[in-house]
């Protein structure tokens, strides 16, 4: 029985999607553009960051320095958290 359980766990580990191992990253940059309709921010690093539906854009405008915590999912940088740097 233990042998079967070990085989099952081994197979499950092999077929687990690698996206489950996605890591969060962060970047400190200046906002170049804000699009509230498309829920995106463009930073001076040249990258576009996707915000979740419930994201609050208050105080975010071009020229504001921010730290963005994000996870890369399906080729998109999805914002987990954002802090304004003063």
């Amino acid at each position: 029985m233990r042998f079967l359980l070990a085989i099952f766990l081994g197979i499950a580990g092999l077929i687990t999607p690698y996206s489950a191992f996605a890591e969060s990253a962060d970047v400190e940059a200046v906002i170049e553009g804000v699009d509230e309709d498309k829920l995106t921010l463009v930073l001076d690093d040249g990258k576009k960051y996707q915000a979740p539906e419930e994201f609050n854009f208050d105080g975010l405008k071009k020229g504001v320095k921010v730290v963005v915590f994000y996870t890369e999912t399906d080729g998109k940088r999805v914002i987990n958290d954002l802090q304004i740097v003063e």
Side-chain angles (χ1 to χ4, degrees):
M1 185 65 172
R2 288 184 191 175
F3 180 72
L4 290 176
L5 181 60
I7 290 174
F8 175 73
L9 290 175
I11 292 171
L14 291 174
I15 61 174
T16 301
Y18 289 111
S19 64
F21 300 108
E23 293 183 26
S24 276
D26 63 89
V27 62
E28 184 172 330
V30 176
I31 296 174
E32 288 291 319
V34 177
D35 188 338
E36 292 186 43
D37 295 329
K38 294 183 181 177
L39 299 171
T40 59
L41 291 176
V42 177
L43 302 183
D44 66 355
D45 65 354
K47 306 288 185 190
K48 187 182 287 188
Y49 296 82
Q50 185 70 44
E53 286 283 331
E54 66 279 356
F55 193 77
N56 183 357
F57 284 92
D58 290 344
L60 300 180
K61 59 185 178 186
K62 184 174 180 169
V64 174
K65 190 172 188 177
V66 293
V67 176
V68 177
F69 300 90
Y70 67 93
T71 304
E72 197 158 334
T73 307
D74 296 329
K76 293 182 181 178
R77 293 178 177 216
V78 180
I79 299 171
N80 297 328
D81 194 14
L82 182 141
Q83 296 176 352
I84 296 175
V85 177
E86 296 186 29

